[in-house]
C-alpha cells in the first residue's frame, strides 16, 4: 500500500462527504473515487456497449429456473 | 508462466447454486449428506457463519464478484429479464471483477458457469481467458454434455422432433443441468491452464427442481423426484400451496441433490490435487424447503435463504471462523489467498452483514445474534439465538437493538447513494474528456 498526499482542504471536503457513510477514512473514499474513474477510463465504455444484444434463449432458461416469478 | 516464476498459488473457486448451509455437516453436525465437503472443511478453514449478499443469484453473485452492491433501478420489474440482465451487465462493467484482479496478478483464468445470470451478456466473462457457459443453447459446449439424463437427451433432441411436447420438456432443459455431464470438459481445461491459474466453477445441481443422477439418489425414487418436480411446476403456475407429502418428497429430492454436489466436490478435489491449489467453496445463497411458506429461493431474507456453507482448503490455515463472513468480501479473500502466507481470515469477517433482494427494496442487516429486515415501511427484528426459525418479530421488545441496526442500514443506504453520485459524476467527466 503506497502513499499519495492530498491537501488538507481536499481531505476536509472528502471527510464532509464521507460523513454518515460506511467510508471509514478519507483514504477509503479517495480510493473508491479513483477506482471508479480509472475503471471508466481504462474501459472507455467498451463493456457498457456490449450489453445490447441479449439472446432470446435466455428467457427460456430463466423461466424454467423460476427467475421470472415473484 | 510456470509455477516457479510466480509466488502465487493456484486458486480453485467452487460455487454451488442454492446449497443450504445446514445441509452441510461442517456447519450442522446433524447432517451427514456431505462427507467430502466436511472432510475438506475440517482439513482447512471453515466459515460457519457465512451469509450471502442476496437470496438469489442475481442479487448475490454480482456482489460476490465485485464486492459492491448494485445501484437502484427505478424501472426494475421481475418480468423485464432483459432489463435485469443489462443492469447486472452495467454493474459488472463499472466495477473491477475478482477475475480481472487475479488476471492482473498474472493468473490464467477460466470459468465454467451453468447459471444463466452469469453470462457474457451480463459481462461475467470479463477477466476470464476461457469462459464456458454451460447450457443447452451455448456455443461453448456440446449440449449433450449438459446432463447424462435420458429425459434430458429426449428434451434436447427427441421432443423437438415430435409433433407435441405436452409438458414442454424442451423448454426446461436447464432442469437437467448435472455436473456429471460436463465434468470431463472441466478436467480437460484444467490440464491446459498455465500456472498460476484461477478456475471458477459454478454448478446448478442443487437448484430447483433437483433432478439428480440415479447413482447419487439415496432417498427419492425416480417417481418421487419427478412428482416433486411436477408439484413444483404446478405450484409455480397455479400458485398453490404445496401439500405436506409433496414437501417431504421435495426435501428428499433436495437432499439427494446435495449428495450429488458432495460427489462433485470429491471428484474435483481428486482432479485438482496434482496442482496443489487453494480451494474456496461456497454456495451463492440458500434454499427454502417450506420454511416461512416458501420453496426455492424467493425474494426473502431469512436465514434459510442467506446462510451459505463456505470453506477454504489448503491455504496453510485451519480452524473454524465463527464470526460472520459476507460473500461480499469474497473478492478480497480470494486475492489475499493468492499469497496465503500473509492471509488473515479474521480480517475478512464483519459484525454486520447487509443483504438485499434484487431490486434493493427490501434489505436486512444480520449479526450473530440479531437480524433486522426492512422494506422501507416496516421493520422486523429477529432474535437469532432464541428464535433461529425467525418466527417472531421482537422489534417492540428490543427497541435499542432495532434502532442500532436501523442506523447501520441507513448508513449503508447513504453509502450507496454517495457511490451512485460518484458513478454519475465519473461517467460525466469521462464522457466530457472523450469528446474533448
Amino acid at each position: 500500500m503506497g502513499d499519495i498526499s492530498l491537501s488538507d482542504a481536499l481531505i476536509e471536503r472528502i471527510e464532509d462527504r464521507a460523513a454518515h457513510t460506511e467510508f471509514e477514512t478519507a483514504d477509503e473514499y479517495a480510493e473508491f473515487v479513483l477506482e471508479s474513474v480509472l475503471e471508466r477510463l481504462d474501459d472507455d465504455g467498451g463493456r457498457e456497449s456490449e450489453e445490447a444484444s441479449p439472446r432470446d434463449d435466455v428467457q427460456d432458461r430463466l423461466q424454467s429456473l423460476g427467475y421470472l416469478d415473484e | 508462466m510456470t509455477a516457479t516464476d510466480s509466488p502465487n498459488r493456484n486458486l480453485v473457486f467452487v460455487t454451488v447454486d442454492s446449497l443450504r448451509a445446514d445441509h452441510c455437516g461442517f456447519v450442522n453436525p446433524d447432517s451427514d449428506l456431505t462427507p467430502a465437503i466436511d472432510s475438506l472443511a475440517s482439513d482447512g478453514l471453515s466459515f460457519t457463519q457465512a451469509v450471502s449478499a442476496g437470496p438469489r443469484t442475481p442479487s448475490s453473485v454480482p456482489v460476490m464478484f465485485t464486492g459492491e452492491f448494485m445501484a437502484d433501478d427505478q424501472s426494475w420489474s421481475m418480468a423485464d429479464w432483459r432489463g435485469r440482465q443489462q443492469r447486472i451487465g452495467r454493474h459488472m462493467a463499472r466495477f473491477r471483477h475478482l477475475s480481472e484482479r487475479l488476471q492482473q496478478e498474472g493468473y490464467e483464468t477460466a470459468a465454467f458457469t451453468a447459471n444463466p445470470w452469469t453470462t457474457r451478456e451480463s459481462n461475467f466473462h470479463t477477466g476470464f481467458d476461457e469462459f464456458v457457459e454451460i447450457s443447452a443453447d451455448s456455443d461453448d459446449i456440446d449440449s449433450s454434455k449438459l446432463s447424462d439424463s435420458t429425459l434430458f437427451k429426449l428434451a434436447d433432441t427427441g421432443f423437438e422432433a415430435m409433433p407435441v411436447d405436452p409438458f414442454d420438456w424442451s423448454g426446461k432443459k436447464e432442469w437437467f443441468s448435472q455436473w456429471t455431464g460436463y465434468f470431463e470438459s472441466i478436467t480437460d481445461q484444467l490440464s491446459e491452464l498455465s500456472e498460476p491459474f484461477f478456475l471458477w466453477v459454478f454448478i446448478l445441481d442443487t437448484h430447483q427442481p433437483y433432478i439428480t443422477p440415479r447413482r447419487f439418489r439415496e432417498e427419492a425414487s425416480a417417481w418421487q423426484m419427478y412428482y416433486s418436480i411436477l408439484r413444483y411446476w404446478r405450484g409455480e403456475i397455479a400458485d398453490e400451496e404445496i401439500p405436506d407429502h409433496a414437501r417431504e418428497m421435495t426435501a428428499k429430492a433436495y437432499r439427494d441433490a446435495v449428495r450429488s454436489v458432495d460427489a462433485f466436490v470429491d471428484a474435483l478435489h481428486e482432479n485438482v490435487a496434482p496442482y496443489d491449489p487453494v480451494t474456496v467453496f461456497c454456495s451463492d445463497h440458500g434454499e427454502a424447503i417450506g420454511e416461512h411458506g416458501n420453496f426455492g429461493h424467493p425474494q426473502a431474507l431469512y436465514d434459510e435463504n442467506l446462510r451459505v456453507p463456505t470453506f477454504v482448503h489448503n491455504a496453510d490455515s485451519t480452524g473454524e471462523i465463527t464470526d460472520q463472513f459476507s460473500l461480499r468480501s469474497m473478492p478480497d479473500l480470494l486475492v489475499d489467498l493468492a499469497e496465503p502466507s500473509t492471509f488473515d481470515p479474521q480480517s475478512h469477517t464483519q459484525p454486520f452483514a447487509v443483504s438485499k433482494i434484487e431490486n434493493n427494496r427490501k434489505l436486512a442487516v444480520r449479526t450473530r445474534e440479531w437480524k433486522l429486515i426492512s422494506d422501507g415501511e416496516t421493520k422486523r427484528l429477529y432474535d437469532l439465538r432464541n428464535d433461529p426459525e425467525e418466527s417472531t418479530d421482537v422489534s417492540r421488545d428490543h427497541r435499542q437493538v432495532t434502532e442500532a441496526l436501523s442506523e447501520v442500514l441507513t448508513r449503508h443506504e447513504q453509502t450507496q447513494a454517495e457511490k451512485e453520485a460518484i458513478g454519475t459524476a465519473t461517467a460525466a467527466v469521462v464522457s466530457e474528456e472523450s469528446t474533448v
Side-chain angles (χ1 to χ4, degrees):
Chain A
M1 184 85 65
D3 294 325
I4 292 178
S5 297
L6 300 175
S7 68
D8 290 344
L10 183 54
I11 291 173
E12 200 172 315
R13 286 177 66 190
I14 291 174
E15 286 173 342
D16 283 348
R17 286 203 70 93
H20 311 298
T21 72
E22 293 165 340
F23 291 114
E24 291 181 356
T25 63
D27 290 30
E28 262 184 44
Y29 187 98
E31 182 161 349
F32 182 86
V33 172
L34 286 172
E35 277 268 5
S36 296
V37 173
L38 291 172
E39 194 66 13
R40 278 271 178 184
L41 287 172
D42 290 348
D43 185 53
D44 199 24
R47 279 185 284 162
E48 296 270 359
S49 63
E50 288 179 28
E51 70 180 30
S53 55
R55 299 195 314 257
D56 285 338
D57 63 83
V58 172
Q59 183 171 11
D60 280 347
R61 298 179 66 196
L62 297 174
Q63 183 81 54
S64 71
L65 293 172
Y67 282 117
L68 305 188
D69 304 310
E70 290 290 346
Chain B
M1 184 179 286
T2 65
T4 52
D5 295 323
S6 168
N8 290 339
R9 296 280 302 277
N10 294 324
L11 294 170
V12 173
F13 181 29
V14 177
T15 309
V16 180
D17 206 308
S18 315
L19 177 59
R20 286 173 68 119
D22 65 359
H23 279 48
C24 296
F26 77 91
V27 178
N28 171 18
D30 292 336
S31 176
D32 60 358
L33 303 173
T34 56
I37 288 171
D38 300 340
S39 172
L40 294 175
S42 168
D43 283 349
L45 193 63
S46 58
F47 291 85
T48 52
Q49 289 286 332
V51 291
S52 63
R56 283 181 153 189
T57 301
S59 51
S60 169
V61 180
V63 184
M64 185 172 77
F65 255 64
T66 61
E68 296 288 344
F69 283 95
M70 287 196 288
D72 289 342
D73 179 355
Q74 297 306 321
S75 64
W76 189 96
S77 78
M78 189 67 82
D80 179 18
W81 64 270
R82 284 189 176 86
R84 292 165 66 193
Q85 187 183 59
Q86 287 167 356
R87 175 172 173 240
I88 295 171
R90 287 194 298 275
H91 178 81
M92 300 300 286
R94 181 179 169 200
F95 295 106
R96 209 153 58 112
H97 303 200
L98 161 62
S99 44
E100 291 174 286
R101 292 171 67 180
L102 291 169
Q103 209 174 37
Q104 194 177 341
E105 295 285 321
Y107 278 81
E108 179 161 20
T109 55
F112 286 78
T113 173
N115 189 290
W117 291 111
T118 54
T119 60
R120 290 179 180 81
E121 283 75 15
S122 48
N123 278 328
F124 263 86
H125 65 299
T126 314
F128 283 108
D129 299 304
E130 299 292 334
F131 190 80
V132 179
E133 291 179 28
I134 301 161
S135 84
D137 300 300
S138 169
D139 294 332
D140 301 333
I141 197 164
D142 185 334
S143 69
S144 65
K145 292 186 174 176
L146 185 66
S147 166
D148 53 11
S149 150
T150 303
L151 192 50
F152 168 75
K153 288 180 169 56
L154 271 173
D156 192 33
T157 56
F159 286 118
E160 283 171 354
M162 292 170 68
V164 289
D165 174 8
F167 293 104
D168 187 28
W169 289 113
S170 57
K172 295 178 173 54
K173 295 171 194 169
E174 304 306 307
W175 285 10
F176 301 92
S177 180
Q178 294 170 343
W179 68 269
T180 46
Y182 53 83
F183 188 73
E184 201 175 300
S185 301
I186 298 172
T187 54
D188 286 349
Q189 181 69 67
L190 196 60
S191 64
E192 292 177 11
L193 292 174
S194 58
E195 301 182 59
F197 63 73
F198 169 60
L199 173 68
W200 180 46
V201 185
F202 188 7
I203 67 170
L204 212 55
D205 293 61
T206 34
H207 195 291
Q208 286 173 321
Y210 323 132
I211 297 178
T212 301
R214 185 175 181 176
R215 60 185 177 277
F216 304 122
R217 291 203 308 267
E218 293 185 17
E219 292 186 70
S221 62
W223 78 266
Q224 287 176 318
M225 183 177 72
Y226 286 109
Y227 176 81
S228 71
I229 295 164
L230 292 172
R231 281 302 316 191
Y232 154 70
W233 182 34
R234 187 176 152 81
E236 285 289 315
I237 292 170
D239 204 20
E240 290 176 355
E241 190 169 330
I242 295 181
D244 286 347
H245 68 277
R247 173 183 173 161
E248 185 46 37
M249 285 188 204
T250 302
K252 286 180 179 178
Y254 180 73
R255 288 194 292 268
D256 281 344
V258 174
R259 292 183 173 95
S260 175
V261 165
D262 193 60
F264 166 76
V265 172
D266 197 28
L268 187 68
H269 173 63
E270 187 181 324
N271 278 271
V272 300
Y275 304 95
D276 193 31
V278 175
T279 297
V280 178
F281 173 93
C282 69
S283 62
D284 63 342
H285 52 74
E287 185 82 336
I289 305 175
E291 295 91 347
H292 299 99
N294 294 325
F295 283 83
H297 36 279
Q299 306 270 59
L301 296 168
Y302 299 112
D303 266 15
E304 64 268 18
N305 311 107
L306 296 180
R307 282 193 67 186
V308 287
T310 304
F311 70 76
V312 174
H313 179 260
N314 199 26
D316 308 325
S317 302
T318 58
E320 179 183 351
I321 303 294
T322 57
D323 288 339
Q324 284 195 130
F325 171 75
S326 167
L327 293 188
R328 185 185 180 186
S329 297
M330 189 59 84
D332 289 340
L333 179 127
L334 270 159
V335 170
D336 280 0
L337 283 169
E339 224 295 64
S341 64
T342 57
F343 176 62
D344 173 14
Q346 209 65 44
S347 70
H348 297 285
T349 62
Q350 303 89 13
F352 304 104
V354 172
S355 306
K356 303 185 200 184
I357 63 171
E358 187 183 340
N359 61 14
N360 293 346
R361 292 170 199 163
K362 191 190 295 180
L363 64 168
V365 57
R366 185 186 190 278
T367 71
R368 288 287 312 275
E369 294 83 16
W370 304 97
K371 186 191 290 175
L372 185 76
I373 300 177
S374 169
D375 63 6
E377 293 178 0
T378 58
K379 288 175 180 161
R380 286 168 292 137
L381 179 72
Y382 297 104
D383 179 347
L384 299 180
R385 286 206 193 277
N386 296 309
D387 177 27
E389 287 79 24
E390 299 166 273
S391 60
T392 307
D393 171 20
V394 293
S395 56
R396 290 172 187 271
D397 303 325
H398 298 275
R399 290 183 188 276
Q400 282 188 323
V401 176
T402 303
E403 284 172 18
L405 294 180
S406 297
E407 172 60 26
V408 173
L409 289 182
T410 301
R411 189 172 284 263
H412 173 78
E413 290 190 308
Q414 288 171 338
T415 307
Q416 290 303 110
E418 183 66 11
K419 287 180 175 177
E420 285 189 41
I422 291 168
T424 304
T426 301
V429 168
V430 173
S431 170
E432 197 171 305
E433 177 76 15
S434 62
T435 54
V436 171

